Amino acid sequence: MALSGLQILARSRPCRLRACPTIQLGHLRLQSSSSAAAAPQNGNIPDKEEESLPAAPSPSVTLVPTDPENAPDVYVTQQGEVYDQERLARDVSRMYPHHRAKMLHVGQMPQIMFEFQEGKDYKRKLYARYGRASGVNPGWMWPSREEIGRMTGMERDLGIPTLQESWDRVREKREAQEKANRLRYDRVEANMKKMEADIKAFRQRQRQAEEAVQAEKAKRQKVLEEAKDLLGFKVDPRDKRFQELLEAKEAAMKKEAKLAKKKEKEAKSLARLTSLENSGSTEASGPA
Amino acid sequence: MAGAGPGRSVDYALTLLRRLPRITLGNLKGNKEQKKKHNYSRGQDGGSDRGYPEQAKKGSQPPLGFAGGSNPYYTRHPVEWYYRGHELRRQYPPYSLFSLQRNIDMGIIDPAYPIDLVQLCNTKLYHIDPLQRHFGVNLTEEGMHMFKAKINLEVQWTTESVIAAVERNGGTITLAYFDPACLNAMHDTRSFFARGVPIPRRALPPENCLELYSNPKMRGYLADPAAVSLARVELAQKFGYNLPDVTKDPDYEMLIKRKDPRQCFYDLEPGWVVNLKDRTILKPADEVIRQYYRS
């Protein structure tokens, strides 16, 4: 067995190896030696492997007997890679076996070596890619009953409305919007009808306010003129003398107003008395 | 006749040759492919040093991303206002009637089968990306005057004029909504079938587009078929064309083919698994699973 020039194709693997000691390659069922896989030292190989692979100079490659008696010899590295005679002779690709198997011209199923290959997604992809030949149970394609229960529960929790519920909500929304629009249109129409009158009233109010302002202004001007006449000079409205004058004038005006009120009251009472008198005289004179 | 034979033409050619200009150094020209030599300017007025290789080595070129000029980038360009809710809105990448007609004429799209988003994406000339909130195709009016194909079309967004252009030729059109899970399956069927999962169940449209997809005037897929036939006649009267009678068409069966509101592929039901390797369709046998995909 010419293995003296054997090159170790893969020295280390970045991924985690599957815990299972058996490795599947096509139709062959191989038994990888656990002692070889566990041996960390490169120089120490157990005697059992030495017997089956006497000429192996490489410490990482050990020969493991296969199950059938007449099956060809197969080599398993410490990392669990499998080499047969044909691959040793031909394959110079330096690819990992599980990568090489997936190539189109090789067209083999990749070995199950890693934990992720036991997942549901991987099994589905395997079936999609290799069909019935993958050996995967097609039942993996569909969600399990628990998953369906979880999904329906989630849909229920999300409160996804039925078509009828959606329709009702949309209709309600639309009707509310239409109602609001209609109210607004009515309001606008009613307001438009009285717009001219409103504008007229507004202008009237404006004019009145303006007139009031002007009257106030004239009144103040008049007071100032009077103060000027009295004091003999143009007086500042903040001046103390002007303020005193103003107070005096206001007091006089108040007095005048009071007097006028009194007079009016008297006139009123007089008028009432006279009217009473008149009525009394007429009543008295009536029957007389 | 001997004088007019080949001897005379030879003489004529020779005299012509004598008169033609000679090749001299003065009228020689370089090859067209010849690269023009760049003369580097030198001295005090040597111009810009930007292109000079020695300067590039010295690192005197402006830094990467330097725009130059006195007007900065943020004042040179007009303001782009914030568009509220843009990240939530549904996007419909456009596709014109012109492109559709062209692809039909070139044999890329077969008008003998119903045309939907799957057909358009399978041309690889139209793409949508559901991750970018693309919700399907917006069929635009460009080229509607030269549109001649008689097809059964299913799009996600379009206008009244496009509907008229399709129906004028005896075709039919439907406006259909697909949720992102279905669009994910439809826009790249090969990748979807390679995942080995069942065909998803189509969701109902959200409330803000429910009215559109139930509108017979827009040929919504949830609209009453009787109302749709009435709207077809109305549209023909509005645009002034004679509506061809679909019922008398030899392709009647194809033209009236519609998907179920829960279906996203023609002839394939939700819950089925398509295996491209074995060319088989796997259907679930479990009644719970069937019920889930049916409801």
Side-chain angles (χ1 to χ4, degrees), chain B residues 68-180:
Chain B
S70 57
N71 196 358
Y73 165 79
Y74 52 86
T75 60
R76 202 184 310 153
H77 293 281
V79 173
E80 194 170 319
W81 295 105
Y82 175 60
Y83 184 16
R84 189 177 173 192
H86 65 91
E87 76 280 14
L88 302 170
R89 283 171 180 255
R90 288 182 295 275
Q91 311 288 332
Y92 297 89
Y95 186 73
S96 66
L97 276 175
F98 180 87
S99 307
L100 183 61
Q101 182 66 59
R102 185 172 175 275
N103 284 339
I104 288 169
D105 292 345
M106 290 175 73
I108 295 169
I109 292 176
D110 190 357
Y113 294 94
I115 297 166
D116 62 346
L117 189 67
V118 180
Q119 299 281 339
L120 293 182
C121 288
N122 280 350
T123 63
K124 303 292 173 191
L125 299 169
Y126 176 79
H127 308 276
I128 63 159
D129 184 2
L131 290 178
Q132 302 264 4
R133 295 195 65 77
H134 293 171
F135 272 73
V137 54
N138 170 17
L139 195 66
T140 59
E141 295 166 3
E142 190 188 343
M144 70 178 173
H145 295 295
M146 60 178 85
F147 190 73
K148 289 283 178 292
K150 186 186 71 182
I151 46 172
N152 178 4
L153 196 58
E154 188 196 67
V155 293
Q156 281 67 52
W157 196 276
T158 190
T159 61
E160 208 175 31
S161 314
V162 171
I163 294 172
V166 172
E167 290 181 352
R168 185 188 59 192
N169 299 328
T172 55
I173 185 167
T174 318
L175 210 66
Y177 171 83
F178 292 94
D179 60 313

Side-chain angles (χ1 to χ4, degrees), chain A residues 143-164:
Chain A
S144 62
R145 288 197 174 192
E146 294 89 68
E147 280 172 327
I148 282 182
R150 213 174 322 142
M151 285 191 286
T152 46
M154 199 185 278
E155 280 171 18
R156 197 175 51 239
D157 294 347
L158 281 170
I160 294 171
T162 62
L163 190 61
Q164 193 54 45

Side-chain angles (χ1 to χ4, degrees), chain A residues 34 55 86 121 264 268:
Chain A
S34 56
E86 195 186 339
D121 289 352
E264 199 187 344
K268 232 181 204 173

